[in-house]
Amino acid sequence: MALQMLVTFSPWNCLLLLVALECSEASSDLNESANSTAQYAPNAWFAAASSEPDERISVFELDYDYVQIPYEVTLWILLASLAKIGFHLYRRLPGLMPESCLLILVGALVGGIIFGTDHKSPPVMDSSIYFLYLLPPIVLEGGYFMPTRPFFENIGSILWWAVLGALINALGIGLSLYFICQVKAFGLGDVNLLQNLLFGSLISAVDPVAVLAVFEEARVNEQLYMMIFGEALLNDGITVVLYNMLIAFTKMHKFEDIEPVDILAGCARFVIVGLGGVLFGIVFGFISAFITRFTQNISAIEPLIVFMFSYLSYLAAETLYLSGILAITACAVTMKKYVEENVSQTSYTTIKYFMKMLSSVSETLIFIFMGVSTVGKNHEWNWAFICFTLAFCQIWRAISVFALFYISNQFRTFPFSIKDQCIIFYSGVRGAGSFSLAFLLPLSLFPRKKMFVTATLVVIYFTVFIQGITIGPLVRYLDVKKTNKKESINEELHIRLMDHLKAGIEDVCGHWSHYQVRDKFKKFDHRYLRKILIRKNLPKSSIVSLYKKLEMKQAIEMVETGILSSTAFSIPHQAQRIQGIKRLSPEDVESIRDILTSNMYQVRQRTLSYNKYNLKPQTSEKQAKEILIRRQNTLRQSMRKGHSLPWGKPAGTKNVRYLSFPYGNPQSAGRDTRAAEFSDDDSSDPGSPSIMFSALSRIGSLQKQEAQEIIPMKSLHRGRKAFSSGYQRNTSQEEYLGGVRRVALRPKPLFHAVDEEGESGGESEGKASLVEVQSRWTADRGHSRDHNRSHSPLLQKK
Amino acid sequence: MIAPSSQPPLSLAHLPGRLGRVSGAGPRRVTHHPFLLPAVSQASLLRLHHRFRALDRNKKGYLSRMDLQQIGALAVNPLGDRIIESFFPDGSQQVDFPGFVRVLAHFRPVEDEDTETQDPKKPEPLNSRRNKLHYAFQLYDLDRDGKISRHEMLQVLRLMVGVQVTEEQLENIADRTVQEADEDGDGAVSFVEFTKSLEKMDVEQKMSIRILK
């Protein structure tokens, strides 16, 4: 690219003119300086070029102008992606600094290249590009990945903190800077109050989510997490609303004769803009959820519907001068729950990934613009302004955090500790939002725009680098474990056991909402909304077959590698060792400890592991699968041998007839496998581990006499298809005994995850994506047991 | 709504406020069960009652194993089965609300005031350290012989460790674990030994759930 730049230097000057004409006033000043010098050169060049018309046909031509803009943009994005790959290859880096640091560095690098090669016409960001194309994906992604339950549980605190915090910060910083500007010595006398307020509002746009990844491992409690997340979500919207309002003020009242009526009108407008945006978002969210109800035959357009409706909500709100950001956020939040249940598995994955990708691209581009604008000549460095800006940002954030939380702690059941508040204060990292707003300040209204841009850049660099890098150690310091010495094996095991136990008991207790409103909403939701918005008779074809495929494949693998062989799970008293306990050497102890630490199952994370730039890896899903398969296998084994289950219950195998595949028929093995995969009809029962059972049973070559028949979780039936006829119905089982029922229903909890949400008001969010898969099953599972019993007349015997 | 069981049924009427007016699917039976009150706070009791009713899908008035298995998160918890089992002591098949609360009361956070005003004559509260440890101990000790044998330790290890660890390694770990804690050399870990091995650990904090305050 450097070579080309040298070769085709002149055409860029012409291009410069074109670009300058296209861009709005915001960017024109950037190109102005280059404009004037290059105006006469192109004319001469054009003349020269046109004097060689078509004398010969050139075999090889170079036309860089045609592709310049998309070409460069693509190169930038690729460069940022390569940098990210490198970033994540070094395992320690992501824990040290937030990824924003990396993006800024890449941006600065690109800016340096552009500046160094005197390439004066990079694609520039202007107001419409930013607000119409770059901002919506970022906000959409934030809204979509927000965990709804903790958000709504803490919504009072979050609103209080986000709204008031943003206002206090904006006004505080603005006013303080105004007083600084009054001091004659700093040469800032021409910056009036409105400009200061505007600057205050844009500099208080924080992006704290960027630092979340840094202290992920330190078990931040869920409430704190939610506060940070919620603040990030609402902060953008609020600052943009403020910004637009103040710009309107600035335009209207150039002569600073603002009357109190205007201020009141401004406040009223603030409220209306916010609430109107949210309302728009909710309406569009419901519409799109409703539409996804009917898309089962063309699942390829499901992501399209989701994205288009979100974007439409943004645009529609913006048309009426309502807050598009809040609209798109509300749309994402509303639509998420229903859409996730309606769309197919692949659409669901596509939506998630595409959203991440879009927002990642947007942010990368903004940071590149920021880098380009950093390395350049258009800065105005004013020591006083910049230093005071930095100082006031920190001071006002501290004031707002501690004051607001002090008040809200009086009303909370679980108050935030000082440590939590320190973390919130310190996570006030600025990001792409502030830069964009500063960059897009209209020069006509802000003669000293360059100073603002410079100050914004300094604040961003300072907060991202210094605060971003030190917040990790700070959090770990605050969260310090009391004992740093190595624990004995006993302690490690017991600690992990207690963690699992605690997580389990918390699940038993469920999540309690503190508000009756939420319960009422849940009831309303369950009774009306879900009926309207969620598909009936979810075909679940792809979900079912996917899950079955995964389970079966994994089960086959596990068996083949000998892990799930029967010896591994031998029944109790057979494995007693008679010999005495060996003495182990210290190295053995060390190695044992290492094995233990690295291999023990992780406790289920309660807080969603949210990473702004990446979708979390699926290790927890693998773990969950292992646990499930092992449990089912254990049960099957113990039932087969007729032994009591480990906890002393007699296995009631006598009266129980199991639902089964056509068992003992080797040819049916293949057919069932295929049948499972072709299960296209719908069913209301969860399916798959039965397939796994049958696979295991065949592989294990059981030829048992007793009724070791397998329960198909998937009753592919209601008597519809031929291959489903191989199931016997369990008619005479007891409800509570019965390993059958247990096994039958053991996977059910997975699929009841959704149901449970509806009825008990608890949601198991933050779980492995395994449950995400299952939680997308229909909600009407609770009655499947009754279905089973009532369907006994529909038995068909093979 | 709450079926009579061998234990005295739950009383809600004498609790003030909303608790006394808990609406349910049917008429409330009101008899006294003062034991429950110190175990958890009143607010928590109300919430637990809601939860109990939500889990009890068929409105039977008690919970069966199946009801507890409906909790999705427990299915992917390595100790899910054992936790569920701990709700059904002595082989019973149902757990009523007092039993439900009794188990969960173990996880109430320990207030500092509790330990100070401890009346030696009153029974130890369920959320004392000793009782918490006893609950955890019972998760290991399935045959209830008061000792964690090597085999029982091995079973727990199997539950909690990923599949890539070989059986031999597991046995080594189990051996070592028992060996470390066993003081009287009987090859098993008694409750006293168990308590001793965890004396440095902040059990109260690890086995407390905030929402049960």
Side-chain angles (χ1 to χ4, degrees):
Chain A
M1 188 171 151
L3 289 173
Q4 293 169 342
M5 274 199 258
L6 292 173
V7 166
T8 54
F9 177 77
S10 311
W12 287 356
N13 286 334
C14 340
L15 200 65
L16 172 69
L17 282 175
L18 294 170
V19 169
L21 287 170
E22 281 165 7
C23 290
S24 73
E25 89 266 358
S27 55
S28 59
D29 52 328
L30 205 60
N31 297 322
E32 258 169 21
S33 49
N35 249 345
S36 43
T37 53
Q39 254 177 18
Y40 301 107
N43 296 332
W45 204 89
F46 266 138
S50 56
S51 68
E52 320 180 39
D54 33 15
E55 287 186 3
R56 51 188 75 83
I57 303 232
S58 49
V59 177
F60 175 69
E61 282 180 7
L62 190 68
D63 182 6
Y64 185 62
D65 318 331
Y66 179 58
V67 295
Q68 188 214 356
I69 293 182
Y71 190 73
E72 288 182 4
V73 169
T74 311
L75 278 180
W76 292 352
I77 298 176
L78 265 183
L79 182 64
S81 313
L82 288 175
K84 281 194 200 182
I85 294 178
F87 183 72
H88 284 281
L89 275 180
Y90 291 102
R91 303 231 130 209
R92 285 174 37 103
L93 268 184
L96 281 180
M97 58 161 121
E99 212 160 309
S100 327
C101 289
L102 179 77
L103 288 177
I104 294 182
L105 284 175
V106 168
L109 183 69
V110 172
I113 294 179
I114 290 183
F115 181 72
T117 58
D118 244 355
H119 172 27
K120 293 198 181 58
S121 63
V124 197
M125 176 168 71
D126 72 343
S127 177
S128 60
I129 294 183
Y130 175 69
F131 279 109
L132 288 182
Y133 302 115
L134 292 180
L135 183 61
I138 300 179
V139 185
L140 177 63
E141 186 251 350
Y144 193 81
F145 283 96
M146 186 189 67
T148 41
R149 181 195 52 83
F151 182 74
F152 285 110
E153 272 183 14
N154 291 301
I155 190 149
S157 309
I158 292 178
L159 279 180
W160 171 260
W161 160 234
V163 176
L164 281 185
L167 284 175
I168 290 182
N169 269 314
L171 294 175
I173 296 178
L175 285 172
S176 328
L177 280 175
Y178 178 62
F179 288 127
I180 295 293
C181 288
Q182 301 303 95
V183 175
K184 294 274 186 291
F186 297 136
L188 295 167
D190 57 339
V191 185
N192 62 13
L193 177 66
L194 269 177
Q195 293 178 353
N196 274 311
L197 283 178
L198 194 65
F199 182 68
S201 77
L202 68 88
I203 202 78
S204 63
V206 290
D207 186 23
V209 179
V211 296
L212 272 180
V214 173
F215 53 79
E216 230 184 345
E217 315 90 54
R219 296 282 180 80
V220 181
N221 71 60
E222 196 183 54
Q223 323 280 333
L224 177 64
Y225 198 93
M226 224 32 250
M227 293 303 288
I228 294 182
F229 212 114
E231 185 197 0
L233 198 67
L234 298 176
N235 194 277
D236 270 339
I238 293 169
T239 38
V240 170
V241 169
L242 255 183
Y243 179 87
N244 284 327
M245 243 176 50
L246 286 169
I247 291 247
F249 262 119
T250 322
K251 281 192 188 141
M252 272 193 293
H253 297 278
K254 277 194 179 152
F255 310 104
E256 293 194 51
D257 49 352
I258 300 173
E259 299 159 23
V261 180
D262 290 321
I263 297 189
L264 276 180
C267 297
R269 184 154 168 212
F270 182 77
V271 171
I272 288 186
V273 163
L275 288 181
V278 170
L279 204 65
F280 257 76
I282 293 181
V283 165
F284 274 92
F286 279 133
I287 295 179
S288 83
F290 183 66
I291 291 187
T292 54
R293 187 178 161 189
F294 302 108
T295 56
Q296 54 253 45
N297 297 322
I298 20 162
S299 49
I301 68 166
E302 280 161 354
L304 197 65
I305 295 209
V306 167
F307 285 113
M308 290 299 114
F309 267 100
S310 318
Y311 194 45
L312 202 62
S313 72
Y314 179 81
L315 295 174
E318 287 286 325
T319 318
L320 297 177
Y321 286 106
L322 300 173
S323 164
I325 298 181
L326 291 177
I328 203 173
T329 308
C331 183
V333 168
T334 319
M335 136 176 108
K336 176 179 174 188
K337 197 157 68 133
Y338 306 106
V339 157
E340 278 189 355
E341 290 191 34
N342 277 337
V343 300
S344 68
Q345 171 77 7
T346 41
S347 299
Y348 174 67
T349 314
T350 309
I351 294 175
K352 280 198 304 187
Y353 270 94
F354 207 65
M355 226 176 254
K356 281 282 178 194
M357 190 185 83
L358 280 179
S359 91
S360 184
V361 164
S362 281
E363 195 154 4
T364 308
L365 284 177
I366 296 181
F367 277 124
I368 298 220
F369 288 132
M370 193 167 101
V372 168
S373 129
T374 314
V375 185
K377 296 208 189 84
N378 45 352
H379 286 292
E380 183 187 331
W381 187 272
N382 182 311
W383 276 104
F385 192 74
I386 291 176
C387 295
F388 277 107
T389 307
L390 260 182
F392 285 135
C393 283
Q394 303 298 335
I395 295 176
W396 278 100
R397 185 163 175 93
I399 293 178
S400 58
V401 164
F402 291 113
L404 288 176
F405 275 93
Y406 177 74
I407 297 179
S408 79
N409 271 347
Q410 316 296 333
F411 299 103
R412 285 182 60 91
T413 329
F414 303 119
F416 284 106
S417 64
I418 295 290
K419 172 185 120 183
D420 291 338
Q421 292 174 29
C422 281
I423 294 181
I424 292 184
F425 156 65
Y426 208 65
S427 68
V429 166
R430 270 73 179 169
S434 331
F435 168 71
S436 320
L437 290 176
F439 193 69
L440 298 175
L441 284 172
L443 193 64
S444 52
L445 298 171
F446 290 85
R448 298 198 75 163
K449 173 181 162 176
K450 289 186 189 161
M451 183 178 71
F452 289 140
V453 171
T454 310
T456 312
L457 283 175
V458 169
V459 171
I460 293 180
Y461 273 79
F462 178 85
T463 53
V464 170
F465 281 94
I466 309 232
Q467 276 182 242
I469 294 184
T470 54
I471 195 170
L474 177 76
V475 170
R476 282 184 270 277
Y477 170 73
L478 288 176
D479 196 45
V480 68
K481 282 197 196 325
K482 299 211 177 63
T483 55
N484 282 331
K485 64 174 177 58
K486 282 235 178 170
E487 298 150 341
S488 69
I489 295 184
N490 251 301
E491 282 179 345
E492 271 197 48
L493 181 64
H494 298 320
I495 286 175
R496 189 57 64 92
L497 178 121
M498 289 189 187
D499 286 337
H500 281 297
L501 176 60
K502 181 170 168 177
I505 295 281
E506 279 177 344
D507 293 322
V508 172
C509 289
H511 298 285
W512 293 335
S513 62
H514 298 293
Y515 311 107
Q516 290 290 69
V517 174
R518 187 173 165 272
D519 289 334
K520 289 202 182 75
F521 174 73
K522 281 236 166 274
K523 286 208 182 76
F524 168 72
D525 174 46
H526 212 63
R527 210 175 293 166
Y528 301 112
L529 288 180
R530 296 180 74 94
K531 297 216 167 37
I532 304 175
L533 297 176
I534 303 216
R535 290 182 196 168
K536 298 195 203 323
N537 308 338
L538 289 190
K540 302 178 221 64
S541 49
S542 49
I543 307 171
V544 166
S545 50
L546 174 76
Y547 183 52
K548 279 193 293 216
K549 271 186 238 174
L550 289 175
E551 280 281 12
M552 189 156 53
K553 184 157 159 287
Q554 186 156 18
I556 292 177
E557 271 173 30
M558 287 169 98
V559 169
E560 279 176 355
T561 54
I563 293 168
L564 279 190
S565 63
S566 47
T567 56
F569 289 94
S570 55
I571 302 297
H573 41 267
Q574 293 174 4
Q576 277 292 358
R577 265 216 213 155
I578 310 161
Q579 72 198 49
I581 300 172
K582 333 192 273 245
R583 293 270 133 202
L584 296 168
S585 62
E587 301 86 47
D588 288 342
V589 173
E590 271 306 308
S591 64
I592 285 182
R593 188 179 290 128
D594 289 336
I595 295 175
L596 201 58
T597 4
S598 54
N599 283 310
M600 279 206 284
Y601 285 133
Q602 300 293 327
V603 180
R604 182 174 66 80
Q605 287 279 28
R606 297 204 74 80
T607 55
L608 247 197
S609 150
Y610 173 77
N611 190 326
K612 194 169 187 195
Y613 302 99
N614 200 3
L615 281 170
K616 62 178 157 96
Q618 312 291 336
T619 50
S620 51
E621 176 175 315
K622 181 164 149 311
Q623 169 183 319
K625 279 200 185 116
E626 279 181 17
I627 296 176
L628 283 171
I629 292 180
R630 168 185 290 162
R631 285 175 66 183
Q632 286 152 1
N633 196 41
T634 315
L635 267 175
R636 191 177 61 84
Q637 293 267 349
S638 42
M639 274 190 305
R640 182 202 321 158
K641 305 260 164 75
H643 277 296
S644 57
L645 299 162
W647 34 81
K649 245 180 11 161
T653 48
K654 301 221 175 66
N655 296 337
V656 193
R657 279 191 311 158
Y658 295 48
L659 309 165
S660 71
F661 278 116
Y663 176 75
N665 190 353
Q667 296 100 351
S668 69
R671 186 160 44 86
D672 280 330
T673 316
R674 262 177 288 117
E677 303 199 27
F678 291 137
S679 59
D680 267 340
D681 55 337
D682 45 345
S683 82
S684 68
D685 289 337
S688 51
S690 61
I691 313 289
M692 179 207 69
F693 277 146
S694 52
L696 278 177
S697 71
R698 277 176 228 119
I699 291 168
S701 75
L702 316 167
Q703 294 294 335
K704 300 293 176 214
Q705 298 305 321
E706 69 262 28
Q708 179 51 54
E709 294 170 335
I710 322 290
I711 304 106
M713 293 308 104
K714 173 127 187 70
S715 54
L716 314 163
H717 75 302
R718 317 261 182 91
R720 281 200 221 153
K721 300 255 173 168
F723 59 74
S724 69
S725 54
Y727 306 129
Q728 299 168 348
R729 275 287 169 195
N730 201 338
T731 50
S732 63
Q733 53 187 330
E734 294 163 36
E735 182 147 19
Y736 307 111
L737 261 207
V740 179
R741 260 316 176 189
R742 303 189 66 131
V743 179
L745 292 169
R746 187 165 303 262
K748 272 207 177 158
L750 304 173
F751 311 111
H752 273 286
V754 169
D755 200 19
E756 192 206 333
E757 290 168 27
E759 292 189 13
S760 63
E763 290 180 20
S764 32
E765 299 230 20
K767 261 176 64 168
S769 60
L770 181 69
V771 179
E772 278 174 25
V773 170
Q774 277 96 43
S775 70
R776 302 175 49 240
W777 293 63
T778 186
D780 294 340
R781 294 236 175 275
H783 309 297
S784 50
R785 255 184 301 130
D786 304 323
H787 276 313
N788 286 345
R789 262 181 260 129
S790 66
H791 279 144
S792 42
L794 299 180
L795 289 187
Q796 291 189 23
K797 261 191 126 167
K798 179 76 179 173
Chain B
M1 180 172 86
I2 302 174
S5 62
S6 57
Q7 293 142 349
L10 167 68
S11 150
L12 296 176
H14 68 284
L15 296 169
R18 289 156 68 218
L19 217 53
R21 289 193 305 271
V22 167
S23 60
R28 299 183 292 283
R29 305 215 196 156
V30 286
T31 41
H32 252 276
H33 194 67
F35 170 64
L36 272 180
L37 277 188
V40 281
S41 67
Q42 291 181 5
S44 302
L45 200 61
L46 174 65
R47 293 194 193 114
L48 284 176
H49 195 70
H50 278 306
R51 177 68 172 166
F52 184 85
R53 285 217 316 274
L55 286 173
D56 178 14
R57 282 167 203 283
N58 295 346
K59 306 281 182 280
K60 306 181 290 293
Y62 51 84
L63 292 180
S64 63
R65 282 196 174 77
M66 227 165 9
D67 290 322
L68 287 174
Q69 280 157 11
Q70 313 292 13
I71 303 171
L74 279 183
V76 288
N77 191 316
L79 300 172
D81 290 328
R82 297 202 177 200
I83 295 177
I84 292 177
E85 194 52 37
S86 71
F87 280 90
F88 301 90
D90 316 320
S92 59
Q93 302 308 322
Q94 315 162 354
V95 57
D96 59 358
F97 185 61
F100 183 70
V101 175
R102 206 169 287 123
V103 171
L104 296 178
H106 284 97
F107 288 85
R108 187 175 181 202
V110 176
E111 311 283 335
D112 292 327
E113 311 90 51
D114 290 349
T115 51
E116 283 163 21
T117 60
Q118 187 75 322
D119 183 0
K121 291 194 218 71
K122 282 204 301 203
E124 210 174 332
L126 278 176
N127 61 341
S128 70
R129 182 190 171 95
R130 187 174 176 282
N131 279 327
K132 286 186 201 278
L133 280 171
H134 190 69
Y135 182 78
F137 186 78
Q138 285 184 324
L139 282 186
Y140 287 92
D141 182 22
L142 293 172
D143 52 6
R144 302 273 188 273
D145 61 354
K147 289 205 227 253
I148 307 176
S149 68
R150 184 189 158 280
H151 181 78
E152 285 166 340
M153 190 70 84
L154 186 59
Q155 277 182 308
V156 171
L157 269 171
R158 271 201 209 112
L159 282 182
M160 291 194 12
V161 172
V163 295
Q164 58 271 27
V165 182
T166 65
E167 184 66 16
E168 192 191 322
Q169 286 169 325
L170 278 178
E171 287 183 3
N172 278 340
I173 299 175
D175 280 337
R176 178 68 193 171
T177 318
V178 173
Q179 192 185 330
E180 263 185 11
D182 189 16
E183 287 171 1
D184 54 8
D186 58 354
V189 181
S190 70
F191 181 58
V192 173
E193 290 162 353
F194 181 73
T195 315
K196 188 128 181 275
S197 69
L198 291 175
E199 60 189 356
K200 291 194 215 75
M201 201 162 92
D202 188 5
V203 171
E204 288 91 334
Q205 195 260 331
K206 281 233 165 262
M207 283 184 60
S208 295
I209 298 181
R210 287 212 299 192
I211 46 182
L212 284 173
K213 243 188 183 52

